[in-house]
Every structure is written in C-alpha cells, then in structure tokens.
Amino acid sequence: MRLTSLRALAAIANSAGMHMRRWNFVAAYLQGELEQDEVVYFHAPPGYATTGADGRPRICRIEKPIFGMAQAGRRWQRSLFPWLLDFGFTQCASDPCVFTMTKVINKVEQRLTLGCYVDDLFTLYSHDATGSLYDEFVQALTLRWNVEDEGP
C-alpha cells in the first residue's frame, strides 16, 4: 500500500466517523504458498553439512516461502489477495493493496476497507457490533491466518 493511500484511508476514517485498527500477520512470508509447479532450491545454511557423503555440494528444496527468499513477498500476496477477493472484497484500481466491501446487514449499509502493507492489514469499518460485517471478517481472518490485533 502506498503511503498516500494510508493517508487517504486515515482521512476517510476521520471524516466518515469510521473505526480504524491494525492487524499484524505473524511470520507472514511463512504463511504464503509456492506456485503448484514451482521448485526452489538453496544451499545448506551455516551449521549444516555443506557437502554430502559423496563430496558433492548439498542443496535443499524449499516447500514453503521463507524469509530472505526473493519470491517470498510475492507468494505471500498471492495467498492473501485471492482470499480477500473470495471473501467478497473489491480490489482498488489505483492501489492494488487496498480493498473495499459494502454490505447491507439488518437494513443497515456497512462498509469495510482494508489496506495491506507487507505484513500489516489496516482496517476501516463502520460498525463493530456482534454480527456486523467487521465481526464476520475478523472471525474469518483469525480462522484462516495467524494474526495479532495491534489495536487502533
């Protein structure tokens, strides 16, 4: 998410009287997934045998993205963004890290806007009562991902 988008979200929250909270994805890059046919190898890390019994260099195959891997951030996005779209969010055309959703619950229009920056998720929401759109989202979010509520 661009800094200008974060500023815009804060201004919208202030002018519309919306609540704003931040969520942190714990070890976000480890929660990503490699592409189905993607194979990534790396040399054995320090402390492990760097050569096999035959004297050839030992390499390891990665099964999940790890910190320091060039593709880790992109793989994380490719896991999170489709999940948000499947939940019903619409991706912003001007900033692909911003998502919006509007839903009528009990004849009341409720809005939820998200901004994703690396492993942080900024949420703007109009209602937070039990059964609200925000409540539904938080329940789904905590079931699917390992997250921490960082507060307002």
Tab-separated table of all heavy atoms in Angstrom, residues 44-102:
chain	number	residue	atom	x	y	z
A	44	ALA	N	22.724	-25.467	1.611
A	44	ALA	CA	22.524	-25.730	3.036
A	44	ALA	C	23.002	-24.529	3.854
A	44	ALA	O	24.061	-23.959	3.569
A	44	ALA	CB	23.276	-26.984	3.442
A	45	PRO	N	22.232	-24.126	4.862
A	45	PRO	CA	22.610	-22.961	5.681
A	45	PRO	C	23.793	-23.279	6.590
A	45	PRO	O	24.111	-24.452	6.819
A	45	PRO	CB	21.343	-22.693	6.492
A	45	PRO	CG	20.609	-23.982	6.524
A	45	PRO	CD	20.952	-24.690	5.249
A	46	PRO	N	24.425	-22.238	7.124
A	46	PRO	CA	25.550	-22.454	8.044
A	46	PRO	C	25.119	-23.337	9.219
A	46	PRO	O	24.004	-23.215	9.725
A	46	PRO	CB	25.895	-21.042	8.531
A	46	PRO	CG	25.357	-20.139	7.476
A	46	PRO	CD	24.155	-20.826	6.897
A	47	GLY	N	26.018	-24.221	9.623
A	47	GLY	CA	25.711	-25.127	10.722
A	47	GLY	C	25.267	-26.497	10.249
A	47	GLY	O	25.209	-27.447	11.017
A	48	TYR	N	24.913	-26.611	8.991
A	48	TYR	CA	24.523	-27.900	8.410
A	48	TYR	C	25.648	-28.370	7.490
A	48	TYR	O	26.426	-27.561	6.991
A	48	TYR	CB	23.225	-27.769	7.605
A	48	TYR	CG	22.001	-27.595	8.461
A	48	TYR	CD1	21.601	-26.332	8.871
A	48	TYR	CD2	21.257	-28.693	8.867
A	48	TYR	CE1	20.482	-26.171	9.675
A	48	TYR	CE2	20.137	-28.540	9.666
A	48	TYR	CZ	19.753	-27.274	10.069
A	48	TYR	OH	18.661	-27.120	10.860
A	49	ALA	N	25.699	-29.644	7.265
A	49	ALA	CA	26.723	-30.181	6.364
A	49	ALA	C	26.543	-29.579	4.981
A	49	ALA	O	25.447	-29.600	4.423
A	49	ALA	CB	26.619	-31.701	6.306
A	50	THR	N	27.621	-29.011	4.445
A	50	THR	CA	27.525	-28.369	3.134
A	50	THR	C	27.857	-29.317	2.003
A	50	THR	O	27.641	-28.981	0.841
A	50	THR	CB	28.451	-27.138	3.060
A	50	THR	OG1	29.779	-27.544	3.376
A	50	THR	CG2	27.989	-26.065	4.030
A	51	THR	N	28.387	-30.485	2.351
A	51	THR	CA	28.661	-31.489	1.318
A	51	THR	C	28.097	-32.830	1.764
A	51	THR	O	28.038	-33.139	2.957
A	51	THR	CB	30.172	-31.636	1.049
A	51	THR	OG1	30.836	-31.961	2.264
A	51	THR	CG2	30.756	-30.358	0.466
A	52	GLY	N	27.685	-33.612	0.806
A	52	GLY	CA	27.165	-34.946	1.088
A	52	GLY	C	28.291	-35.950	1.247
A	52	GLY	O	29.481	-35.613	1.147
A	53	ALA	N	27.936	-37.214	1.494
A	53	ALA	CA	28.928	-38.287	1.669
A	53	ALA	C	29.778	-38.473	0.418
A	53	ALA	O	30.937	-38.898	0.501
A	53	ALA	CB	28.211	-39.589	2.025
A	54	ASP	N	29.213	-38.121	-0.744
A	54	ASP	CA	29.952	-38.272	-1.997
A	54	ASP	C	30.811	-37.050	-2.317
A	54	ASP	O	31.448	-36.998	-3.370
A	54	ASP	CB	28.983	-38.551	-3.141
A	54	ASP	CG	27.931	-37.463	-3.309
A	54	ASP	OD1	27.973	-36.465	-2.550
A	54	ASP	OD2	27.062	-37.614	-4.180
A	55	GLY	N	30.817	-36.053	-1.445
A	55	GLY	CA	31.634	-34.866	-1.662
A	55	GLY	C	30.974	-33.788	-2.492
A	55	GLY	O	31.534	-32.708	-2.680
A	56	ARG	N	29.789	-34.052	-3.005
A	56	ARG	CA	29.080	-33.046	-3.809
A	56	ARG	C	28.377	-32.048	-2.891
A	56	ARG	O	27.972	-32.402	-1.776
A	56	ARG	CB	28.064	-33.730	-4.720
A	56	ARG	CG	28.752	-34.588	-5.782
A	56	ARG	CD	27.839	-35.295	-6.743
A	56	ARG	NE	26.482	-34.792	-6.808
A	56	ARG	CZ	25.462	-35.471	-7.301
A	56	ARG	NH1	25.649	-36.681	-7.780
A	56	ARG	NH2	24.264	-34.960	-7.341
A	57	PRO	N	28.206	-30.797	-3.352
A	57	PRO	CA	27.526	-29.799	-2.511
A	57	PRO	C	26.093	-30.240	-2.183
A	57	PRO	O	25.399	-30.803	-3.031
A	57	PRO	CB	27.501	-28.544	-3.379
A	57	PRO	CG	28.537	-28.765	-4.417
A	57	PRO	CD	28.652	-30.244	-4.613
A	58	ARG	N	25.690	-30.007	-0.964
A	58	ARG	CA	24.348	-30.368	-0.516
A	58	ARG	C	23.414	-29.184	-0.761
A	58	ARG	O	23.736	-28.054	-0.426
A	58	ARG	CB	24.374	-30.715	0.963
A	58	ARG	CG	23.005	-31.113	1.489
A	58	ARG	CD	23.113	-31.628	2.874
A	58	ARG	NE	23.459	-33.046	2.758
A	58	ARG	CZ	23.588	-33.857	3.772
A	58	ARG	NH1	23.444	-33.412	4.991
A	58	ARG	NH2	23.886	-35.124	3.603
A	59	ILE	N	22.265	-29.465	-1.355
A	59	ILE	CA	21.253	-28.434	-1.570
A	59	ILE	C	19.946	-28.884	-0.925
A	59	ILE	O	19.739	-30.068	-0.680
A	59	ILE	CB	21.037	-28.110	-3.064
A	59	ILE	CG1	20.597	-29.354	-3.831
A	59	ILE	CG2	22.294	-27.508	-3.665
A	59	ILE	CD1	20.161	-29.068	-5.249
A	60	CYS	N	19.087	-27.918	-0.644
A	60	CYS	CA	17.800	-28.202	-0.001
A	60	CYS	C	16.674	-27.701	-0.893
A	60	CYS	O	16.814	-26.690	-1.578
A	60	CYS	CB	17.711	-27.507	1.345
A	60	CYS	SG	19.041	-27.923	2.478
A	61	ARG	N	15.563	-28.391	-0.863
A	61	ARG	CA	14.376	-27.974	-1.602
A	61	ARG	C	13.427	-27.270	-0.640
A	61	ARG	O	13.146	-27.767	0.441
A	61	ARG	CB	13.671	-29.174	-2.221
A	61	ARG	CG	12.453	-28.775	-3.019
A	61	ARG	CD	11.808	-29.948	-3.676
A	61	ARG	NE	10.596	-29.504	-4.344
A	61	ARG	CZ	9.846	-30.275	-5.075
A	61	ARG	NH1	10.171	-31.540	-5.256
A	61	ARG	NH2	8.763	-29.802	-5.649
A	62	ILE	N	12.948	-26.097	-1.038
A	62	ILE	CA	12.030	-25.310	-0.215
A	62	ILE	C	10.603	-25.767	-0.488
A	62	ILE	O	10.192	-25.892	-1.646
A	62	ILE	CB	12.170	-23.801	-0.529
A	62	ILE	CG1	13.554	-23.325	-0.122
A	62	ILE	CG2	11.086	-22.998	0.163
A	62	ILE	CD1	13.820	-21.882	-0.453
A	63	GLU	N	9.856	-26.023	0.564
A	63	GLU	CA	8.452	-26.418	0.410
A	63	GLU	C	7.500	-25.250	0.626
A	63	GLU	O	6.371	-25.271	0.147
A	63	GLU	CB	8.121	-27.556	1.375
A	63	GLU	CG	8.864	-28.830	1.033
A	63	GLU	CD	8.494	-29.992	1.943
A	63	GLU	OE1	7.610	-29.834	2.806
A	63	GLU	OE2	9.096	-31.058	1.777
A	64	LYS	N	7.940	-24.237	1.386
A	64	LYS	CA	7.144	-23.038	1.630
A	64	LYS	C	8.072	-21.831	1.531
A	64	LYS	O	9.266	-21.961	1.777
A	64	LYS	CB	6.503	-23.077	3.026
A	64	LYS	CG	5.443	-24.160	3.154
A	64	LYS	CD	4.650	-24.045	4.423
A	64	LYS	CE	3.812	-22.843	4.546
A	64	LYS	NZ	2.584	-22.745	3.860
A	65	PRO	N	7.542	-20.672	1.175
A	65	PRO	CA	8.392	-19.475	1.142
A	65	PRO	C	9.013	-19.205	2.511
A	65	PRO	O	8.396	-19.477	3.536
A	65	PRO	CB	7.422	-18.352	0.760
A	65	PRO	CG	6.293	-19.035	0.074
A	65	PRO	CD	6.174	-20.379	0.748
A	66	ILE	N	10.234	-18.684	2.504
A	66	ILE	CA	10.918	-18.353	3.740
A	66	ILE	C	11.461	-16.931	3.651
A	66	ILE	O	11.605	-16.374	2.560
A	66	ILE	CB	12.072	-19.340	4.038
A	66	ILE	CG1	13.087	-19.358	2.900
A	66	ILE	CG2	11.534	-20.731	4.319
A	66	ILE	CD1	14.317	-20.201	3.184
A	67	PHE	N	11.766	-16.343	4.813
A	67	PHE	CA	12.352	-15.007	4.844
A	67	PHE	C	13.660	-15.017	4.073
A	67	PHE	O	14.424	-15.967	4.147
A	67	PHE	CB	12.597	-14.562	6.282
A	67	PHE	CG	11.350	-14.277	7.042
A	67	PHE	CD1	10.867	-15.183	7.966
A	67	PHE	CD2	10.645	-13.107	6.838
A	67	PHE	CE1	9.711	-14.935	8.671
A	67	PHE	CE2	9.486	-12.846	7.531
A	67	PHE	CZ	9.011	-13.755	8.458
A	68	GLY	N	13.921	-13.957	3.328
A	68	GLY	CA	15.143	-13.853	2.557
A	68	GLY	C	15.022	-14.386	1.144
A	68	GLY	O	15.872	-14.134	0.312
A	69	MET	N	13.976	-15.132	0.881
A	69	MET	CA	13.752	-15.653	-0.463
A	69	MET	C	13.164	-14.525	-1.322
A	69	MET	O	12.220	-13.861	-0.904
A	69	MET	CB	12.762	-16.822	-0.378
A	69	MET	CG	12.547	-17.555	-1.658
A	69	MET	SD	11.494	-18.992	-1.338
A	69	MET	CE	10.141	-18.610	-2.433
A	70	ALA	N	13.742	-14.315	-2.485
A	70	ALA	CA	13.317	-13.201	-3.328
A	70	ALA	C	11.817	-13.226	-3.630
A	70	ALA	O	11.163	-12.190	-3.696
A	70	ALA	CB	14.112	-13.197	-4.626
A	71	GLN	N	11.237	-14.401	-3.791
A	71	GLN	CA	9.835	-14.531	-4.166
A	71	GLN	C	8.879	-14.528	-2.967
A	71	GLN	O	7.669	-14.575	-3.140
A	71	GLN	CB	9.590	-15.842	-4.931
A	71	GLN	CG	10.452	-16.050	-6.135
A	71	GLN	CD	11.692	-16.879	-5.813
A	71	GLN	OE1	12.336	-16.683	-4.800
A	71	GLN	NE2	12.042	-17.796	-6.692
A	72	ALA	N	9.386	-14.508	-1.738
A	72	ALA	CA	8.540	-14.698	-0.554
A	72	ALA	C	7.424	-13.663	-0.445
A	72	ALA	O	6.271	-14.004	-0.175
A	72	ALA	CB	9.383	-14.700	0.710
A	73	GLY	N	7.739	-12.390	-0.658
A	73	GLY	CA	6.722	-11.346	-0.558
A	73	GLY	C	5.622	-11.512	-1.584
A	73	GLY	O	4.431	-11.361	-1.283
A	74	ARG	N	6.012	-11.826	-2.794
A	74	ARG	CA	5.022	-12.024	-3.868
A	74	ARG	C	4.161	-13.254	-3.594
A	74	ARG	O	2.960	-13.249	-3.834
A	74	ARG	CB	5.740	-12.157	-5.211
A	74	ARG	CG	4.800	-12.228	-6.376
A	74	ARG	CD	4.117	-10.882	-6.581
A	74	ARG	NE	3.205	-10.972	-7.696
A	74	ARG	CZ	1.944	-10.555	-7.657
A	74	ARG	NH1	1.463	-9.995	-6.583
A	74	ARG	NH2	1.178	-10.673	-8.706
A	75	ARG	N	4.763	-14.314	-3.095
A	75	ARG	CA	3.986	-15.522	-2.772
A	75	ARG	C	2.996	-15.241	-1.645
A	75	ARG	O	1.892	-15.769	-1.630
A	75	ARG	CB	4.913	-16.676	-2.376
A	75	ARG	CG	5.831	-17.130	-3.480
A	75	ARG	CD	5.041	-17.606	-4.704
A	75	ARG	NE	5.900	-17.808	-5.838
A	75	ARG	CZ	6.018	-16.945	-6.850
A	75	ARG	NH1	5.331	-15.837	-6.868
A	75	ARG	NH2	6.807	-17.213	-7.866
A	76	TRP	N	3.398	-14.404	-0.697
A	76	TRP	CA	2.502	-14.012	0.391
A	76	TRP	C	1.293	-13.261	-0.174
A	76	TRP	O	0.154	-13.554	0.161
A	76	TRP	CB	3.265	-13.171	1.410
A	76	TRP	CG	2.405	-12.347	2.308
A	76	TRP	CD1	2.453	-10.995	2.469
A	76	TRP	CD2	1.367	-12.797	3.191
A	76	TRP	NE1	1.514	-10.588	3.373
A	76	TRP	CE2	0.830	-11.683	3.833
A	76	TRP	CE3	0.829	-14.044	3.474
A	76	TRP	CZ2	-0.213	-11.766	4.740
A	76	TRP	CZ3	-0.217	-14.123	4.384
A	76	TRP	CH2	-0.714	-12.996	5.007
A	77	GLN	N	1.556	-12.301	-1.064
A	77	GLN	CA	0.456	-11.566	-1.702
A	77	GLN	C	-0.452	-12.509	-2.473
A	77	GLN	O	-1.667	-12.362	-2.443
A	77	GLN	CB	1.000	-10.514	-2.672
A	77	GLN	CG	1.278	-9.195	-2.073
A	77	GLN	CD	1.554	-8.160	-3.154
A	77	GLN	OE1	1.779	-8.471	-4.330
A	77	GLN	NE2	1.542	-6.908	-2.755
A	78	ARG	N	0.123	-13.458	-3.184
A	78	ARG	CA	-0.678	-14.388	-3.992
A	78	ARG	C	-1.489	-15.357	-3.138
A	78	ARG	O	-2.339	-16.063	-3.657
A	78	ARG	CB	0.223	-15.165	-4.950
A	78	ARG	CG	0.679	-14.307	-6.095
A	78	ARG	CD	1.386	-15.119	-7.125
A	78	ARG	NE	1.769	-14.278	-8.246
A	78	ARG	CZ	2.545	-14.670	-9.216
A	78	ARG	NH1	3.029	-15.897	-9.222
A	78	ARG	NH2	2.847	-13.857	-10.196
A	79	SER	N	-1.218	-15.405	-1.850
A	79	SER	CA	-2.048	-16.195	-0.937
A	79	SER	C	-3.145	-15.330	-0.330
A	79	SER	O	-4.300	-15.738	-0.252
A	79	SER	CB	-1.197	-16.800	0.180
A	79	SER	OG	-0.267	-17.691	-0.329
A	80	LEU	N	-2.765	-14.124	0.107
A	80	LEU	CA	-3.714	-13.243	0.797
A	80	LEU	C	-4.746	-12.624	-0.142
A	80	LEU	O	-5.952	-12.660	0.144
A	80	LEU	CB	-2.966	-12.129	1.534
A	80	LEU	CG	-3.842	-11.079	2.222
A	80	LEU	CD1	-4.676	-11.712	3.324
A	80	LEU	CD2	-2.988	-9.940	2.762
A	81	PHE	N	-4.304	-12.054	-1.252
A	81	PHE	CA	-5.213	-11.306	-2.118
A	81	PHE	C	-6.366	-12.146	-2.670
A	81	PHE	O	-7.510	-11.709	-2.628
A	81	PHE	CB	-4.451	-10.598	-3.233
A	81	PHE	CG	-3.632	-9.416	-2.768
A	81	PHE	CD1	-3.421	-9.152	-1.415
A	81	PHE	CD2	-3.047	-8.571	-3.669
A	81	PHE	CE1	-2.671	-8.069	-0.982
A	81	PHE	CE2	-2.288	-7.475	-3.255
A	81	PHE	CZ	-2.102	-7.230	-1.909
A	82	PRO	N	-6.133	-13.353	-3.176
A	82	PRO	CA	-7.269	-14.171	-3.634
A	82	PRO	C	-8.246	-14.497	-2.499
A	82	PRO	O	-9.451	-14.559	-2.716
A	82	PRO	CB	-6.620	-15.442	-4.177
A	82	PRO	CG	-5.245	-15.040	-4.538
A	82	PRO	CD	-4.864	-13.994	-3.531
A	83	TRP	N	-7.718	-14.687	-1.289
A	83	TRP	CA	-8.591	-14.953	-0.148
A	83	TRP	C	-9.503	-13.753	0.118
A	83	TRP	O	-10.702	-13.917	0.357
A	83	TRP	CB	-7.753	-15.286	1.097
A	83	TRP	CG	-8.591	-15.638	2.272
A	83	TRP	CD1	-9.152	-16.846	2.556
A	83	TRP	CD2	-8.993	-14.764	3.334
A	83	TRP	NE1	-9.871	-16.778	3.730
A	83	TRP	CE2	-9.779	-15.512	4.229
A	83	TRP	CE3	-8.757	-13.425	3.621
A	83	TRP	CZ2	-10.340	-14.961	5.381
A	83	TRP	CZ3	-9.306	-12.881	4.769
A	83	TRP	CH2	-10.082	-13.644	5.636
A	84	LEU	N	-8.947	-12.543	0.040
A	84	LEU	CA	-9.758	-11.335	0.241
A	84	LEU	C	-10.818	-11.206	-0.854
A	84	LEU	O	-11.975	-10.868	-0.573
A	84	LEU	CB	-8.865	-10.088	0.267
A	84	LEU	CG	-7.922	-9.961	1.461
A	84	LEU	CD1	-6.974	-8.782	1.269
A	84	LEU	CD2	-8.697	-9.831	2.759
A	85	LEU	N	-10.444	-11.475	-2.092
A	85	LEU	CA	-11.394	-11.391	-3.204
A	85	LEU	C	-12.492	-12.441	-3.053
A	85	LEU	O	-13.667	-12.157	-3.306
A	85	LEU	CB	-10.676	-11.534	-4.537
A	85	LEU	CG	-9.694	-10.401	-4.878
A	85	LEU	CD1	-8.878	-10.747	-6.102
A	85	LEU	CD2	-10.421	-9.081	-5.053
A	86	ASP	N	-12.139	-13.649	-2.634
A	86	ASP	CA	-13.130	-14.707	-2.409
A	86	ASP	C	-14.079	-14.343	-1.270
A	86	ASP	O	-15.238	-14.746	-1.275
A	86	ASP	CB	-12.464	-16.048	-2.093
A	86	ASP	CG	-11.790	-16.667	-3.299
A	86	ASP	OD1	-12.073	-16.230	-4.440
A	86	ASP	OD2	-10.960	-17.576	-3.105
A	87	PHE	N	-13.591	-13.592	-0.302
A	87	PHE	CA	-14.428	-13.161	0.813
A	87	PHE	C	-15.477	-12.144	0.348
A	87	PHE	O	-16.498	-11.980	0.981
A	87	PHE	CB	-13.563	-12.564	1.934
A	87	PHE	CG	-14.306	-12.322	3.209
A	87	PHE	CD1	-14.539	-13.359	4.095
A	87	PHE	CD2	-14.787	-11.063	3.522
A	87	PHE	CE1	-15.239	-13.147	5.277
A	87	PHE	CE2	-15.485	-10.833	4.695
A	87	PHE	CZ	-15.712	-11.879	5.578
A	88	GLY	N	-15.198	-11.471	-0.776
A	88	GLY	CA	-16.160	-10.524	-1.327
A	88	GLY	C	-15.645	-9.111	-1.501
A	88	GLY	O	-16.388	-8.208	-1.875
A	89	PHE	N	-14.368	-8.892	-1.238
A	89	PHE	CA	-13.797	-7.556	-1.386
A	89	PHE	C	-13.575	-7.226	-2.854
A	89	PHE	O	-13.422	-8.118	-3.693
A	89	PHE	CB	-12.451	-7.454	-0.650
A	89	PHE	CG	-12.589	-7.308	0.828
A	89	PHE	CD1	-12.523	-8.413	1.655
A	89	PHE	CD2	-12.794	-6.061	1.404
A	89	PHE	CE1	-12.649	-8.294	3.017
A	89	PHE	CE2	-12.929	-5.925	2.762
A	89	PHE	CZ	-12.858	-7.048	3.586
A	90	THR	N	-13.524	-5.939	-3.147
A	90	THR	CA	-13.190	-5.430	-4.471
A	90	THR	C	-11.837	-4.751	-4.363
A	90	THR	O	-11.621	-3.930	-3.468
A	90	THR	CB	-14.248	-4.415	-4.953
A	90	THR	OG1	-15.523	-5.059	-4.957
A	90	THR	CG2	-13.921	-3.890	-6.331
A	91	GLN	N	-10.937	-5.090	-5.279
A	91	GLN	CA	-9.595	-4.525	-5.268
A	91	GLN	C	-9.612	-3.152	-5.923
A	91	GLN	O	-10.208	-2.959	-6.982
A	91	GLN	CB	-8.642	-5.461	-5.999
A	91	GLN	CG	-7.195	-5.212	-5.734
A	91	GLN	CD	-6.326	-6.351	-6.257
A	91	GLN	OE1	-6.745	-7.129	-7.114
A	91	GLN	NE2	-5.111	-6.447	-5.759
A	92	CYS	N	-8.951	-2.199	-5.312
A	92	CYS	CA	-8.891	-0.823	-5.820
A	92	CYS	C	-8.014	-0.782	-7.081
A	92	CYS	O	-6.944	-1.385	-7.120
A	92	CYS	CB	-8.315	0.078	-4.736
A	92	CYS	SG	-8.190	1.807	-5.192
A	93	ALA	N	-8.460	-0.079	-8.089
A	93	ALA	CA	-7.712	0.001	-9.348
A	93	ALA	C	-6.461	0.875	-9.205
A	93	ALA	O	-5.432	0.590	-9.814
A	93	ALA	CB	-8.606	0.552	-10.454
A	94	SER	N	-6.516	1.920	-8.397
A	94	SER	CA	-5.381	2.836	-8.282
A	94	SER	C	-4.313	2.348	-7.305
A	94	SER	O	-3.165	2.766	-7.385
A	94	SER	CB	-5.858	4.228	-7.865
A	94	SER	OG	-6.512	4.157	-6.614
A	95	ASP	N	-4.682	1.479	-6.375
A	95	ASP	CA	-3.710	0.875	-5.452
A	95	ASP	C	-4.157	-0.560	-5.197
A	95	ASP	O	-5.120	-0.791	-4.477
A	95	ASP	CB	-3.631	1.653	-4.142
A	95	ASP	CG	-2.512	1.153	-3.231
A	95	ASP	OD1	-2.061	0.000	-3.405
A	95	ASP	OD2	-2.096	1.906	-2.346
A	96	PRO	N	-3.483	-1.541	-5.790
A	96	PRO	CA	-3.926	-2.934	-5.679
A	96	PRO	C	-3.834	-3.514	-4.268
A	96	PRO	O	-4.288	-4.624	-4.032
A	96	PRO	CB	-3.001	-3.689	-6.641
A	96	PRO	CG	-1.827	-2.806	-6.825
A	96	PRO	CD	-2.296	-1.400	-6.634
A	97	CYS	N	-3.276	-2.770	-3.322
A	97	CYS	CA	-3.182	-3.234	-1.935
A	97	CYS	C	-4.321	-2.699	-1.070
A	97	CYS	O	-4.316	-2.866	0.144
A	97	CYS	CB	-1.839	-2.828	-1.332
A	97	CYS	SG	-0.445	-3.645	-2.140
A	98	VAL	N	-5.294	-2.045	-1.702
A	98	VAL	CA	-6.467	-1.518	-0.991
A	98	VAL	C	-7.698	-2.272	-1.487
A	98	VAL	O	-7.891	-2.450	-2.688
A	98	VAL	CB	-6.625	0.004	-1.213
A	98	VAL	CG1	-7.904	0.519	-0.576
A	98	VAL	CG2	-5.413	0.747	-0.656
A	99	PHE	N	-8.523	-2.715	-0.544
A	99	PHE	CA	-9.723	-3.495	-0.840
A	99	PHE	C	-10.920	-2.874	-0.133
A	99	PHE	O	-10.787	-2.385	0.988
A	99	PHE	CB	-9.552	-4.946	-0.356
A	99	PHE	CG	-8.453	-5.684	-1.045
A	99	PHE	CD1	-7.138	-5.540	-0.650
A	99	PHE	CD2	-8.733	-6.527	-2.110
A	99	PHE	CE1	-6.113	-6.220	-1.279
A	99	PHE	CE2	-7.717	-7.209	-2.752
A	99	PHE	CZ	-6.406	-7.058	-2.341
A	100	THR	N	-12.081	-2.902	-0.786
A	100	THR	CA	-13.295	-2.341	-0.192
A	100	THR	C	-14.443	-3.340	-0.272
A	100	THR	O	-14.476	-4.195	-1.157
A	100	THR	CB	-13.724	-1.044	-0.904
A	100	THR	OG1	-13.965	-1.344	-2.278
A	100	THR	CG2	-12.664	0.037	-0.790
A	101	MET	N	-15.366	-3.183	0.659
A	101	MET	CA	-16.567	-4.015	0.662
A	101	MET	C	-17.690	-3.239	1.333
A	101	MET	O	-17.478	-2.576	2.350
A	101	MET	CB	-16.321	-5.317	1.417
A	101	MET	CG	-17.561	-6.203	1.534
A	101	MET	SD	-17.267	-7.595	2.621
A	101	MET	CE	-17.044	-8.864	1.433
A	102	THR	N	-18.874	-3.307	0.734
A	102	THR	CA	-20.080	-2.723	1.313
A	102	THR	C	-21.145	-3.804	1.327
A	102	THR	O	-21.313	-4.528	0.349
A	102	THR	CB	-20.567	-1.512	0.482
A	102	THR	OG1	-19.502	-0.564	0.405
A	102	THR	CG2	-21.772	-0.863	1.098
